Amino acid sequence: MIKFDAVTKIVHQSLKDPLPFLNLIDKHNSRNESFNFFEFFQVLSKKQHESLWTLLQELTQHCITRLQAAEDVDGACHDLELLLGMCLIIHSAITQDKPIIPSKLEECVQMLHDVVTALPDGVDFCVEEIIKICEMWWKCDLPNKDLLVPHMVLFLLINSVDQNSVLTDVKRLYSVKQCLLLLDFEDSSAISIKEFILLCFVHPLFLSTEEGKKFLSYCFGLQCSFIPVIHDTVKEQLLRASKVKLQAYGEVYFRAWKAASGVHLEVIEEKCIQDLMYVCVHAPRGTPSLFSAVRTLLSHFNQQRNTRGVSDTLCKLYRPFLWRSLKVANPMVRANATSLFLDSFPIQEFDMTREERDVSLQKQFDLMDELLIDSSVIVRCAAVSGVCHVVSGFWEVIPVSVIKSFLKRFIKDLSRDTAAINTRVATIQGLCVILENTLSHPIMKELLPLLSDHINDTAERVRIAFMDLLIKVKELKSIKFWDIASLNDLLRRMESDSPLVIKRIVALLFDSLQPKELGKQEKVDRCIDLIKTNPAAARRFYEQALKQLTVAEAGRFMLSINSYLLRIFAKKEDKQEKEREEEQEEEEEEISTVVLAGLIEVIVILWEGKIEELEKPSSKKVKSKLISEFTSSVPTLFNSFPEEPCRLATITLASYLPYKAVSRISGGFIAILESLQPGDDIHKYGSYLVAMVMWKQSDVVLKMIATWLESGFSKNDHTARETAPINDEQVEEDGVIHSKKGKGRVTKRGRKKKMATTKDEKVATNSSYHHMLHPTVALKLLDFLISNSKCLREIVQLSKFWYLKDILKESTIQLEHKVLGASPCSEEERHFLVTSFELMWRITLLQATEHTQLFCEAFEDYVVWSDRVLGSALGKVSSAQSSESEKKGKAGKKRTTKQKQNDSAQNVTIALDIARIVLNSLSEAVLSGSFPEELRIPLPRMLSIWLGTPCGSGLVKEACKLLYQLSEVAVLTFKDDRRPSMFTGTEPLVESILSIYRKSQTWTTPVPFSHIRPIMSAVIDRSIQFFYLVSDPSLNMVPTVKICLNSVLEQATNFIKLNPSLNWPSSVEDLSETCKNLLQLLLKKQGLEKFINGFLFSQVSKPKMNVDVTEQVLVNLAVVYITLSLLSRRVIRKRTVEEICQEVDVYIEGLSDEWIQRLDVSLSMTRDGLKLLNERTVVSF
């Protein structure tokens, strides 16, 4: 053990040479050395303590001085080590059982505390040790501990709110929370500490830990003036806070209230809790909802209402405004007040007498009954939900007559509220809450069957709520769900209802139809009963039920059904039965076809649903067992049950097996497909196609389709060669048409040179089925292959599939000839060509993911072709017809007037069909993200030309769809405002759609605004949203909104011309139908007024570069003035209008006399509009 003299000598020498002192610290830290400062201080006398700490104080002062003078950390490494050693020595000294604290020791600790903020950067480890000394000094209650508070608290607060803070940081802060009472929060030096305390209220670590919530509640008691600041900070977080955080805030407020007294208690109750109550009553409901957030926070007080004083406080704080809020005119306020009232039920003081309590409760019951029949839907919904929770929670204390009255109101009135779906939903959901109280079951058992008709309610949400009620009843022993809704009704709903309803019906019936405790045969028997009762419902049931079955369970059930089917086959083959039994079997056979087909379909459904899991290594045994069993049974089933439903289901089942395993039945499939006729339903033979594709036999099918398509196009081959027009971009040389652009060599048939096929392949193909070529059937087969996802995944990998697109290109040549050549066209031929054209586009779109480069080239070529052909066909139908008639008249082939009219109608029909296909394909390309960038600018121009033709009204629906896709993708894919957007250049398209709508109002059958309202509404929403994303100053207004407002201006100006006695329209109803619909659509947009106000200021701040720009500014201002002045019963800021008037006056005063003369009309319009706006704006706030 080192003696006292040696230690003092080392400390004294360390002023010049720190190494001996650092060696002494190392000995203390080493386990191999016997020296320890803690034991060293135990044997020292008070005098020795004072002598030693005098030297240590000098050493501390010396180290701090040198550290402050050091330029960087590297130059003061020994001094830092000395400070760390000093912290270790101090810790050993003050942690004694009865520590001796000399004045020099206090000075050392004070110096360390004061130097914390003066230390250079990069010495956080040293600061951490100093703060630990200060913490220990505080916890040990040593002299002058209040002098160590400022820097210690600030450091702990900074650590706690750091992004990487941990629970230990929060616990350290909480352990010294009382030191906050020593700070003067009124002093300017406490500003930083107050800011960090406020940060604690938004830090998730404080809200998720017990110590953190205790610390936050403790902060409410620091200073009365600081409580409102804390409250405002919490209020700012409510809309962004999760439910867990809101509940944590509620717990913090409750703890603060419970611990407070005197003035602090009054401030917390009036400035915090009552303020939250008031905000909750008057907060709007929406997403996110401030009302829901505050209600969640206040729910903690309602949960603690049995705590002494809580009930009295709630009664006192609600009294000034809650009861009158239940009677106000605003339904939103009534609904909010209703929710708070019922959440806090019963609202009464603790010291009431029994008679006073009874009177108070009866008044509240009467108030509940009034709220249940309120005229507002949201109030009724809030009342239903709250009353049901009250009835469930206070069943024992509520009089029976009151309960029956409420239940009667629920069952007979509110559950049948035809005026509001939400009320019916809330009622059924509320009954689920009541069922949570077991005392309600006897009376609910009698009442719930009265709701049986809700299973057929027209609203899906009501049916979903009713199914949730049945699932809730299923958990009860005293009530049976089939007493409320019959099995037949459930199966009928499962047959045709939405997936959400079917999912709940399956959950309700699963344990009854697929009980795990029953054997294999019993499950099959119940499956058979279900199929007999409702085959369609059986399919829906097993589509959903497979999600609740494991692969092994599904496999065992499929094998059980397979065994049952083989037994049926064995009975069918048994010729030893009696005649009576044979007759019974025949009767069974009549009804068993549906059952047998249903059983096979169940196998298919289960296999399809588990096909991905069967491919996993863990399911290898199950899959091998299934393949082994069904390889032997599928041929038997195929031959034994020849009825169409059974056979198609068996074929689908066979498609999951290897091709070699079913070779006995697969050989005739291609012959069946070859024998199809144009009138046959292709979907009945879809199983054959899917099976062929799954067996990797797609080549045969595609070769057959290719041959049939070529035969279809070859029918008009001679006509195409003789009469195909040569367009301006082609020249003819030696009987061959060449493209001027050099994009390939085109024969008069109009096709590029096709992919070569061998002579043997052509001979083999033609000799196989040349006598039964059905091009229409080929189109149906191809359409099925593309539409079926399973088939499409396989065929896109084959080159023969992409070769079909080259064949289908022939449709463009022949369609061009039909449309521009005005040649006659039969209905069958038109259908074939148009369908071929559509399939060509669909295949082209598939290339976007498989062959991107080829897709872009083909897509651009098709769009250019469509623009050239349709631009002429739609816009110059009459001239084209007359020209064609002249040519044919010279040839001696004149037609009658009726024939010309028929040909003209055919040409228009074909052109419109082509245009619709193109527009739908463009929409798909935009939606899938494969739209070529090169077409972004010319596309709207092209479409506006189409819509501007006499036939353009027939394309409004498709054009609106494309416009919506452009706007949707523009917002969803926005990343950089410097890149062109899908919105760019869409103004002509919007103008064309609105132009068609305006023109149609003078037709015998005008285009209803309902046809374009949903699309235009969505486009305007996306336009405004996109406007705020883009920071381009050149976009001073949303183009779509601007076009609509310009239309309003045009209509308003016409109104003035027709009514010279009036200055401006007095209401929206005074305008035309077009203007009224557009303006009403705009006025419903949230944030539109704010957007228009911002636009006004952007207009008047523009530089007056020339007369044209200034005139446009004045016109835009007039447009906005009209719109704002026609806002019916909408609040406009008077202050904003006054500011606009001032800005416009300044803008006009800066114009020269020459400009004012040229802008006389625009100035007059602007002034009159502004005057009217100022007169009509009477509300200010």
Side-chain angles (χ1 to χ4, degrees):
M1 187 70 178
I2 301 177
K3 295 183 179 181
F4 173 76
D5 294 339
V7 173
T8 54
K9 183 179 180 180
I10 292 174
V11 173
H12 182 73
Q13 293 176 351
S14 60
L15 294 173
K16 297 181 180 180
D17 183 11
L19 292 180
F21 183 80
L22 295 178
N23 292 333
L24 186 63
I25 299 299
D26 291 338
K27 290 182 178 181
H28 170 83
N29 294 327
S30 177
R31 294 184 179 182
N32 298 325
E33 298 289 340
S34 60
F35 177 75
N36 185 282
F37 276 112
F38 185 82
E39 297 176 357
F40 175 75
F41 280 113
Q42 288 178 342
V43 300
L44 295 183
S45 64
K46 184 176 182 180
K47 187 176 181 180
Q48 289 176 325
H49 270 89
E50 294 176 351
S51 175
L52 177 61
W53 282 109
T54 300
L55 295 174
L56 291 174
Q57 189 268 345
E58 294 179 6
L59 177 61
T60 304
Q61 180 66 47
H62 179 70
C63 292
I64 291 174
T65 303
R66 292 203 300 180
L67 270 175
Q68 292 175 341
E71 296 181 356
D72 53 18
V73 178
D74 296 335
C77 58
H78 287 305
D79 295 315
L80 288 175
E81 292 179 0
L82 288 174
L83 278 185
L84 290 174
M86 287 300 304
C87 292
L88 187 149
I89 296 173
I90 295 172
H91 185 273
S92 300
I94 63 178
T95 53
Q96 302 290 326
D97 293 338
K98 294 181 180 181
I100 299 174
I101 309 298
S103 59
K104 295 299 182 179
L105 173 56
E106 294 180 26
E107 293 179 12
C108 283
V109 176
Q110 184 64 44
M111 284 190 295
L112 292 174
H113 170 269
D114 295 341
V115 82
V116 165
T117 56
L119 290 176
D121 296 335
V123 293
D124 296 342
F125 58 93
C126 187
V127 174
E128 175 72 20
E129 295 300 323
I130 294 174
I131 297 299
K132 286 182 179 179
I133 294 300
C134 296
E135 287 182 71
M136 186 61 63
W137 194 278
W138 175 269
K139 293 177 182 178
C140 294
D141 195 21
L142 299 177
N144 297 322
K145 64 178 182 179
D146 55 323
L147 299 177
L148 308 180
V149 167
H151 293 166
M152 176 185 68
V153 170
L154 184 60
F155 178 84
L156 293 177
L157 283 170
I158 293 174
N159 269 10
S160 300
V161 299
D162 187 72
Q163 186 178 2
N164 300 320
S165 60
V166 293
L167 178 59
T168 305
D169 298 320
V170 178
K171 288 183 176 181
R172 289 174 61 187
L173 179 61
Y174 177 71
S175 65
V176 297
K177 63 183 183 299
Q178 293 181 348
C179 67
L180 293 172
L181 297 173
L182 302 176
L183 300 176
D184 183 8
F185 283 88
E186 297 294 340
D187 190 82
S188 59
S189 61
I191 293 178
S192 58
I193 293 180
K194 289 163 63 174
E195 291 177 351
F196 282 110
I197 290 177
L198 294 178
L199 287 176
C200 294
F201 278 86
V202 302
H203 198 284
L205 192 58
F206 281 84
L207 296 171
S208 59
T209 58
E210 191 68 18
E211 291 80 4
K213 288 183 282 190
K214 289 180 179 179
F215 176 78
L216 296 180
S217 61
Y218 183 82
C219 291
F220 278 88
L222 296 178
Q223 192 178 32
C224 287
S225 61
F226 192 46
I227 295 176
V229 180
I230 294 175
H231 179 60
D232 291 340
T233 302
V234 174
K235 286 171 64 176
E236 292 176 358
Q237 303 300 314
L238 294 181
L239 278 177
R240 298 188 293 269
S242 63
K243 185 177 180 179
V244 176
K245 289 184 179 180
L246 293 170
Q247 292 172 345
Y249 280 131
E251 186 177 350
V252 169
Y253 273 92
F254 178 77
R255 286 180 172 177
W257 170 83
K258 189 176 180 181
S261 61
V263 180
H264 283 78
L265 180 60
E266 293 179 6
V267 173
I268 291 175
E269 287 182 348
E270 297 176 5
K271 300 296 184 181
C272 299
I273 302 175
Q274 193 174 53
D275 179 63
L276 289 173
M277 293 175 174
Y278 187 84
V279 168
C280 189
V281 169
H282 297 87
R285 296 189 177 207
T287 304
S289 173
L290 180 60
F291 162 75
S292 299
V294 181
R295 184 185 180 189
T296 303
L297 190 154
L298 293 174
S299 64
H300 192 82
F301 283 86
N302 298 325
Q303 295 169 5
Q304 302 292 332
R305 58 174 168 260
N306 292 329
T307 304
R308 185 175 181 85
V310 174
S311 181
D312 292 341
T313 301
L314 293 177
C315 186
K316 179 181 67 174
L317 298 180
Y318 276 132
R319 185 181 294 117
F321 60 89
L322 180 63
W323 306 115
R324 72 166 183 259
S325 297
L326 294 170
K327 304 292 186 180
V328 297
N330 191 327
M332 194 73 70
V333 174
R334 294 204 308 274
N336 294 348
T338 299
S339 298
L340 283 185
F341 158 54
L342 296 172
D343 289 345
S344 306
F345 178 87
I347 300 178
Q348 55 189 9
E349 296 180 358
F350 182 78
D351 56 354
M352 280 183 173
T353 63
R354 183 173 181 180
E355 290 76 11
E356 291 174 340
R357 287 177 182 273
D358 292 341
V359 173
S360 175
L361 286 175
Q362 188 58 47
K363 288 182 178 179
Q364 295 182 45
F365 291 145
D366 295 340
L367 188 56
M368 290 180 195
D369 195 59
E370 294 177 8
L371 293 171
L372 289 173
I373 59 175
D374 193 275
S375 59
S376 174
V377 175
I378 58 174
V379 177
R380 293 201 301 274
C381 292
V384 168
S385 178
V387 172
C388 288
H389 280 86
V390 169
V391 171
S392 178
F394 298 91
W395 184 280
E396 299 89 338
V397 299
I398 300 177
V400 177
S401 59
V402 176
I403 292 178
K404 289 184 177 180
S405 174
F406 285 150
L407 293 179
K408 181 180 178 181
R409 180 81 67 189
F410 293 150
I411 300 296
K412 294 186 177 181
D413 298 335
L414 295 171
S415 67
R416 305 180 188 281
D417 188 352
T418 57
I421 296 174
N422 291 340
T423 306
R424 303 202 298 273
V425 173
T427 302
I428 297 175
Q429 292 174 343
L431 294 175
C432 293
V433 175
I434 295 177
L435 286 173
E436 294 177 358
N437 191 316
T438 55
L439 298 177
S440 67
H441 295 175
I443 189 172
M444 294 293 287
K445 183 177 182 179
E446 300 176 2
L447 295 176
L448 287 179
L450 300 176
L451 300 174
S452 58
D453 55 345
H454 282 70
I455 194 174
N456 297 315
D457 195 285
T458 56
E460 180 191 22
R461 292 169 52 207
V462 178
R463 298 196 300 273
I464 290 174
F466 183 73
M467 292 311 307
D468 290 335
L469 175 64
L470 294 181
I471 293 174
K472 181 70 176 179
V473 170
K474 180 185 176 183
E475 301 173 358
L476 309 178
K477 294 182 179 180
S478 56
I479 309 176
K480 306 301 180 184
F481 72 86
W482 53 81
D483 293 335
I484 304 173
S486 65
L487 179 62
N488 290 333
D489 289 338
L490 290 171
L491 294 181
R492 278 195 296 270
R493 293 313 320 174
M494 186 162 59
E495 177 183 354
S496 58
D497 217 323
S498 64
L500 292 176
V501 179
I502 294 175
K503 179 181 178 181
R504 287 164 171 80
I505 298 176
V506 171
L508 184 68
L509 301 178
F510 183 81
D511 292 336
S512 301
L513 298 176
Q514 282 290 314
K516 295 183 178 181
E517 63 274 5
L518 294 182
K520 299 178 181 179
Q521 187 56 44
E522 287 81 357
K523 293 181 181 179
V524 176
D525 292 339
R526 297 199 180 190
C527 178
I528 294 172
D529 293 338
L530 178 59
I531 295 173
K532 287 181 179 179
T533 305
N534 194 319
R539 286 192 289 270
R540 300 292 181 273
F541 174 81
Y542 285 102
E543 286 173 359
Q544 292 289 333
L546 62 88
K547 299 176 183 178
Q548 303 183 37
L549 296 172
T550 64
V551 176
E553 291 173 342
R556 286 194 294 269
F557 187 57
M558 286 189 283
L559 294 176
S560 300
I561 297 176
N562 183 51
S563 301
Y564 174 81
L565 293 173
L566 292 178
R567 287 199 301 272
I568 294 295
F569 168 72
K571 289 182 180 180
K572 189 177 180 180
E573 296 295 321
D574 189 0
K575 298 181 180 181
Q576 304 300 326
E577 296 183 358
K578 297 179 181 179
E579 182 178 354
R580 180 179 59 82
E581 295 175 344
E582 291 177 355
E583 293 177 357
Q584 292 179 353
E585 182 68 17
E586 290 176 1
E587 294 177 359
E588 292 179 3
E589 190 68 25
E590 293 178 1
I591 62 172
S592 65
T593 300
V594 176
V595 176
L596 294 174
L599 289 173
I600 301 175
E601 286 181 359
V602 170
I603 298 176
V604 172
I605 291 171
L606 294 176
W607 199 319
E608 176 66 24
K610 297 294 182 181
I611 191 167
E612 293 184 0
E613 296 184 44
L614 286 171
E615 297 299 326
K616 297 179 180 179
S618 58
S619 306
K620 185 177 181 180
K621 292 183 179 180
V622 178
K623 182 180 179 180
S624 60
K625 180 68 174 178
L626 290 174
I627 292 177
S628 175
E629 292 292 331
F630 284 105
T631 296
S632 59
S633 62
V634 164
T636 303
L637 299 176
F638 185 82
N639 296 321
S640 302
F641 306 116
E643 296 82 4
E644 182 177 318
C646 297
R647 173 150 294 186
L648 294 180
T650 305
I651 293 171
T652 305
L653 176 60
S655 65
Y656 298 115
L657 302 175
Y659 180 65
K660 294 182 179 179
V662 291
S663 57
R664 287 186 291 173
I665 66 172
S666 61
F669 282 15
I670 191 63
I672 294 174
L673 295 176
E674 291 173 2
S675 64
L676 290 177
Q677 299 298 318
D680 293 339
D681 184 5
I682 197 64
H683 292 283
K684 291 184 178 179
Y685 298 89
S687 300
Y688 293 91
L689 275 174
V690 173
M692 293 291 290
V693 172
M694 298 301 291
W695 291 333
K696 308 299 181 182
Q697 301 299 308
S698 308
D699 287 350
V700 181
V701 178
L702 294 176
K703 184 184 297 185
M704 178 183 70
I705 293 174
T707 303
W708 287 3
L709 289 177
E710 288 177 336
S711 71
F713 288 117
S714 65
K715 288 181 180 180
N716 296 323
D717 188 47
H718 177 71
T719 305
R721 275 199 306 267
E722 295 295 332
T723 61
I726 303 175
N727 59 56
D728 296 337
E729 298 178 357
Q730 296 174 339
V731 295
E732 183 176 6
E733 296 179 4
D734 300 329
V736 178
I737 300 175
H738 297 277
S739 174
K740 289 183 179 181
K741 295 182 179 180
K743 287 192 175 181
R745 185 173 180 271
V746 187
T747 65
K748 278 196 174 182
R749 292 181 62 186
R751 286 179 292 175
K752 293 182 181 181
K753 191 174 182 180
K754 292 184 179 180
M755 184 185 301
T757 55
T758 63
K759 183 177 180 181
D760 295 339
E761 287 180 343
K762 291 184 177 181
V763 172
T765 303
N766 293 332
S767 63
S768 177
Y769 35 82
H770 66 278
H771 59 286
M772 51 177 72
L773 301 178
H774 301 303
T776 306
V777 177
L779 293 177
K780 292 182 178 180
L781 293 175
L782 182 57
D783 178 70
F784 181 88
L785 291 174
I786 296 176
S787 303
N788 188 284
S789 58
K790 292 171 61 177
C791 296
L792 185 61
R793 283 196 299 267
E794 299 293 332
I795 63 176
V796 293
Q797 303 175 18
L798 304 175
S799 59
K800 290 187 177 181
F801 171 71
W802 302 111
Y803 171 64
L804 293 178
K805 191 189 75 169
D806 296 332
I807 299 177
L808 293 171
K809 283 182 183 179
E810 179 70 20
S811 63
T812 60
I813 304 301
Q814 297 194 14
L815 283 172
E816 182 176 355
H817 169 70
K818 299 297 181 185
V819 173
L820 298 183
S823 61
C825 180
S826 65
E827 182 63 25
E828 180 182 356
E829 185 179 2
R830 182 187 71 83
H831 175 72
F832 173 74
L833 292 177
V834 171
T835 306
S836 300
F837 184 76
E838 180 180 7
L839 289 173
M840 180 196 70
W841 272 95
R842 291 176 64 183
I843 296 177
T844 302
L845 290 175
L846 292 174
Q847 280 186 318
T849 55
E850 302 294 332
H851 308 287
T852 307
Q853 184 62 31
L854 293 176
F855 161 76
C856 292
E857 295 176 359
F859 197 91
E860 292 179 28
D861 291 342
Y862 295 160
V863 171
V864 171
W865 178 89
S866 301
D867 186 20
R868 175 172 56 82
V869 174
L870 295 181
S872 301
L874 294 176
K876 301 178 181 180
V877 174
S878 300
S879 61
Q881 289 173 349
S882 61
S883 176
E884 185 69 18
S885 298
E886 292 177 2
K887 292 180 182 179
K888 294 198 173 184
K890 294 178 180 180
K893 297 181 180 180
K894 295 183 179 180
R895 303 180 187 178
T896 64
T897 304
K898 185 175 182 180
Q899 288 174 332
K900 293 180 180 179
Q901 291 176 349
N902 292 337
D903 292 345
S904 176
Q906 287 179 348
N907 292 336
V908 172
T909 303
I910 294 175
L912 286 175
D913 289 340
I914 297 173
R916 291 189 183 102
I917 292 171
V918 173
L919 289 175
N920 288 328
S921 300
L922 292 174
S923 298
E924 293 295 327
V926 172
L927 186 61
S928 62
S930 55
F931 188 81
E933 183 69 20
E934 294 78 6
L935 299 177
R936 179 180 53 81
I937 298 298
L939 175 64
R941 179 200 58 79
M942 179 186 76
L943 299 184
S944 63
I945 293 175
W946 293 3
L947 293 174
T949 61
C951 305
S953 59
L955 304 175
V956 171
K957 181 179 179 181
E958 289 76 13
C960 287
K961 178 183 176 182
L962 176 58
L963 180 61
Y964 171 74
Q965 299 293 5
L966 289 170
S967 63
E968 187 78 14
V969 172
V971 174
L972 294 178
T973 60
F974 177 80
K975 293 181 180 179
D976 187 355
D977 57 7
R978 292 171 296 181
R979 296 181 58 189
S981 166
M982 284 292 184
F983 262 134
T984 307
T986 57
E987 295 89 339
L989 185 56
V990 178
E991 290 177 344
S992 299
I993 294 174
L994 294 179
S995 175
I996 290 176
Y997 171 68
R998 287 196 300 268
K999 292 178 182 178
S1000 71
Q1001 301 308 305
T1002 61
W1003 300 346
T1004 306
T1005 55
V1007 177
F1009 190 69
S1010 59
H1011 287 187
I1012 68 172
R1013 179 188 287 113
I1015 296 296
M1016 291 303 298
S1017 178
V1019 170
I1020 291 172
D1021 287 336
R1022 296 297 178 268
S1023 301
I1024 295 176
Q1025 185 179 358
F1026 183 76
F1027 177 85
Y1028 287 113
L1029 289 175
V1030 177
S1031 59
D1032 187 357
S1034 64
L1035 294 178
N1036 53 57
M1037 192 173 189
V1038 175
T1040 306
V1041 178
K1042 185 176 180 179
I1043 292 170
C1044 295
L1045 292 177
N1046 284 335
S1047 180
V1048 174
L1049 173 63
E1050 179 184 348
Q1051 299 292 322
T1053 306
N1054 293 335
F1055 179 86
I1056 296 171
K1057 293 178 181 179
L1058 297 175
N1059 301 273
S1061 60
L1062 299 175
N1063 291 325
W1064 293 99
S1066 59
S1067 68
V1068 178
E1069 299 299 328
D1070 293 335
L1071 302 175
S1072 68
E1073 191 70 20
T1074 304
C1075 184
K1076 180 177 67 176
N1077 288 326
L1078 285 175
L1079 193 53
Q1080 288 177 343
L1081 180 65
L1082 287 171
L1083 297 183
K1084 292 180 181 179
K1085 300 304 174 186
Q1086 293 184 358
L1088 183 66
E1089 295 168 55
K1090 178 181 178 182
F1091 169 77
I1092 292 178
N1093 289 340
F1095 168 69
L1096 286 171
F1097 289 109
S1098 68
Q1099 290 293 302
V1100 297
S1101 62
K1102 280 186 175 181
K1104 296 177 280 292
M1105 295 180 294
N1106 53 59
V1107 178
D1108 295 334
V1109 173
T1110 305
E1111 184 176 14
Q1112 185 62 46
V1113 169
L1114 296 174
V1115 171
N1116 287 341
L1117 291 174
V1119 170
V1120 177
Y1121 295 151
I1122 297 172
T1123 304
L1124 289 177
S1125 65
L1126 294 177
L1127 292 174
S1128 178
R1129 295 183 181 180
R1130 298 282 288 275
V1131 176
I1132 308 173
R1133 296 180 183 271
K1134 187 77 173 180
R1135 178 165 50 87
T1136 301
V1137 174
E1138 293 174 353
E1139 294 175 358
I1140 293 171
C1141 294
Q1142 296 175 2
E1143 294 290 339
V1144 173
D1145 288 340
V1146 173
Y1147 187 84
I1148 295 176
E1149 288 176 0
L1151 301 177
S1152 63
D1153 295 338
E1154 179 184 357
W1155 282 24
I1156 290 177
Q1157 292 179 0
R1158 296 179 61 182
L1159 299 172
D1160 182 57
V1161 177
S1162 301
L1163 283 171
S1164 176
M1165 187 180 297
T1166 302
R1167 289 194 180 100
D1168 292 344
L1170 186 58
K1171 178 181 178 182
L1172 179 63
L1173 175 61
N1174 200 15
E1175 291 174 354
R1176 292 181 179 175
T1177 306
V1178 296
V1179 182
S1180 62
F1181 57 92

